[in-house]
């Protein structure tokens, strides 16, 4: 039933998403997890700790966060099963799982960057892209803004859509929630700053591990989407993913970025600036670097088709599982 659960969650999330009004009224599951992580960090990460002790505290904090999140979601999952008929329970679980996906909001934020570049120029584009990337927006020219938006689209397709759907299939609603808790912890404390370098080690390494399957799967979805998208090159997408992704400084981000770069005939990643520090990363893809707002729209079209392909595959697997059950 988890194939059907993931399919319905993707459908619901794409159709309605999670409204800003709901966020304002009750918050969002990710912000609730964020509050728990922030509290754990405040309690466990004392400034005077040695690196070894800080790393141990980080491991214990992450384990505690996972225990709390998974226990709560397991309880919710069990109550739903006991209180509702099978189909109603499936739909409700899918609605809850859809809140842990970020496909619709990702589409909206990346579209905002393209529109900002087209209508407001470079200054507006920098302002829009600063909402979705951590690099220094002032250091970006128009091509840099466009590339940053496309890279964010590719990477967050993996982290925000494919990975939670994958773990939803593997572990149901508790598995998806556990993934999201780790991914949120990585984004909050998995940095290489002085405060988090040792304490956030467990969150960063565990996030790398659990994103391994989804990052490769995302490259497959993008490659398949390129096969049926006019103007995209699926062979270059596959070749770029296989040859360039291993050279990326991240064990996961390079796969969707390289596939996207190859499909669109672009070069993504490369040297970037974060907090005034230059990061000398490898280029993904061997195409042109002068990306524009048009390329952002091309990337969004490819992303939407890849999203549909993923949903279609899950739907077919759900039907097959039902027939064999």
């Amino acid at each position: 039933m988890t194939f059907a659960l993931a399919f319905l969650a993707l459908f619901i999330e794409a159709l309605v998403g999670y409204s800003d009004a709901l966020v304002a009224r009750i918050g969002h599951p990710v912000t609730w997890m964020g509050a728990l992580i922030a509290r754990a960090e405040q309690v466990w990460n004392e400034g005077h700790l040695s690196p070894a002790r800080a790393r141990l505290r980080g491991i214990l904090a992450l384990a505690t966060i996972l225990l709390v999140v998974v226990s709560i979601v397991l309880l919710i999952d069990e109550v739903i099963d006991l209180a509702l008929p099978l189909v109603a329970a499936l739909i409700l679980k899918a609605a809850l799982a859809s809140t842990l996906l970020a496909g619709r909001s990702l589409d909206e934020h990346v579209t905002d960057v393209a529109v900002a570049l087209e209508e407001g120029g470079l200054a507006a584009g920098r302002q829009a892209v600063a909402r979705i990337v951590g690099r220094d927006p002032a250091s970006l020219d128009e091509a840099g803004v466009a590339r940053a938006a496309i890279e964010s689209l590719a990477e967050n397709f993996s982290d925000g859509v494919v990975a939670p759907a994958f773990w939803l299939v593997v572990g149901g609603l508790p598995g998806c929630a556990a993934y999201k808790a780790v991914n949120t912890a990585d984004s909050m404390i998995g940095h290489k700053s002085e405060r988090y370098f040792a304490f956030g080690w467990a969150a960063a390494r565990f996030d790398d591990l659990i994103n391994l399957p989804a990052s490769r799967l995302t490259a497959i979805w993008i490659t398949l989407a390129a096969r049926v998208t006019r103007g995209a090159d699926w062979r270059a997408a596959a070749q770029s993913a296989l040859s360039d992704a291993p050279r990326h400084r991240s064990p996961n981000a390079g796969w969707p970025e390289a596939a996207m770069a190859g499909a669109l005939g672009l070069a993504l990643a490369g040297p970037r600036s974060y907090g005034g520090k230059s990061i000398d990363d490898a280029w993904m893809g061997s195409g042109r670097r002068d990306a524009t707002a048009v390329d952002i729209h091309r990337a969004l079209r490819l992303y939407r088709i890849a999203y549909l392909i993923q949903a279609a595959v899950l739907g077919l697997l759900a039907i097959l599982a039902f027939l064999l059950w």
Side-chain angles (χ1 to χ4, degrees):
M1 296 302 289
T2 56
F3 289 119
L5 180 62
F7 169 78
L8 287 173
L10 285 168
F11 177 80
I12 293 170
E13 198 272 335
L15 188 65
V16 299
Y18 196 95
S19 71
D20 292 338
L22 201 56
V23 173
R25 182 177 293 272
I26 65 171
H28 187 279
V30 173
T31 64
W32 304 336
M33 292 179 189
L36 175 63
I37 294 162
R39 179 58 180 163
E41 192 273 337
Q42 183 182 24
V43 171
W44 291 77
N45 191 21
E46 298 174 21
H48 62 273
L49 298 173
S50 67
R53 194 167 180 82
R55 180 176 290 191
L56 178 60
R57 290 273 191 104
I59 294 171
L60 294 174
L62 182 63
T64 302
I65 291 162
L66 282 172
L67 179 62
V68 171
V69 170
V70 172
S71 296
I72 291 172
V73 178
L74 274 172
L75 178 61
I76 294 171
D77 195 63
E78 187 66 22
V79 169
I80 291 173
D81 282 338
L82 292 173
L84 296 174
L86 179 62
V87 174
L90 181 64
I91 294 172
L92 179 56
K93 288 182 185 180
L96 293 175
S98 73
T99 68
L100 302 175
L101 302 170
R104 185 184 178 95
S105 62
L106 175 61
D107 191 305
E108 291 172 349
H109 283 105
V110 175
T111 299
D112 287 345
V113 179
V115 173
L117 278 176
E118 291 169 331
E119 298 182 356
L122 178 57
R126 285 172 172 170
Q127 185 176 9
V129 84
R131 302 187 187 105
I132 59 173
V133 300
R135 68 197 66 179
D136 300 328
S139 68
L140 300 174
D141 57 11
E142 182 175 346
V145 169
R147 288 198 308 270
I150 296 169
E151 291 160 21
S152 180
L153 176 66
E155 182 178 357
N156 285 291
F157 179 31
S158 178
D159 291 355
V161 180
V162 179
F166 175 85
W167 289 107
L168 187 57
V169 169
V170 172
L173 192 57
C176 185
Y179 166 79
K180 205 65 182 179
V182 175
N183 188 245
T184 305
D186 175 58
S187 67
M188 292 179 64
I189 63 175
H191 311 300
K192 293 184 177 180
S193 64
E194 182 178 352
R195 179 176 180 83
Y196 298 122
F197 188 82
F199 183 80
W201 174 85
R205 296 291 75 78
F206 196 33
D207 183 71
D208 285 343
L209 178 64
I210 62 177
N211 272 298
L212 282 172
S215 60
R216 279 71 176 167
L217 191 56
T218 305
I220 294 174
W221 297 145
I222 292 172
T223 300
L224 291 175
R227 183 67 179 85
V228 296
T229 302
R230 181 178 297 181
D233 189 335
W234 70 273
R235 290 185 179 87
Q239 182 179 358
S240 181
L242 292 172
S243 62
D244 295 339
R247 299 187 295 112
H248 198 286
R249 65 188 179 94
S250 164
N252 296 311
W255 290 88
E257 288 182 12
M260 184 71 78
L264 300 177
L266 296 173
L268 300 175
R272 285 160 286 177
S273 177
Y274 293 89
K277 293 185 178 181
S278 179
I279 303 296
D280 188 18
D281 202 0
W283 286 98
M284 301 290 105
S286 57
R288 55 188 171 84
R289 301 178 186 180
D290 56 337
T292 66
V294 172
D295 293 306
I296 301 178
H297 287 299
R298 293 173 63 220
L300 282 163
R301 182 165 58 249
L302 192 65
Y303 159 74
R304 291 162 187 159
I305 294 172
Y307 190 106
L308 290 173
I309 289 173
Q310 176 185 224
V313 170
L314 287 169
L316 289 173
L317 289 172
I319 293 171
L320 180 62
F322 176 77
L323 293 175
L324 293 176
W325 184 34

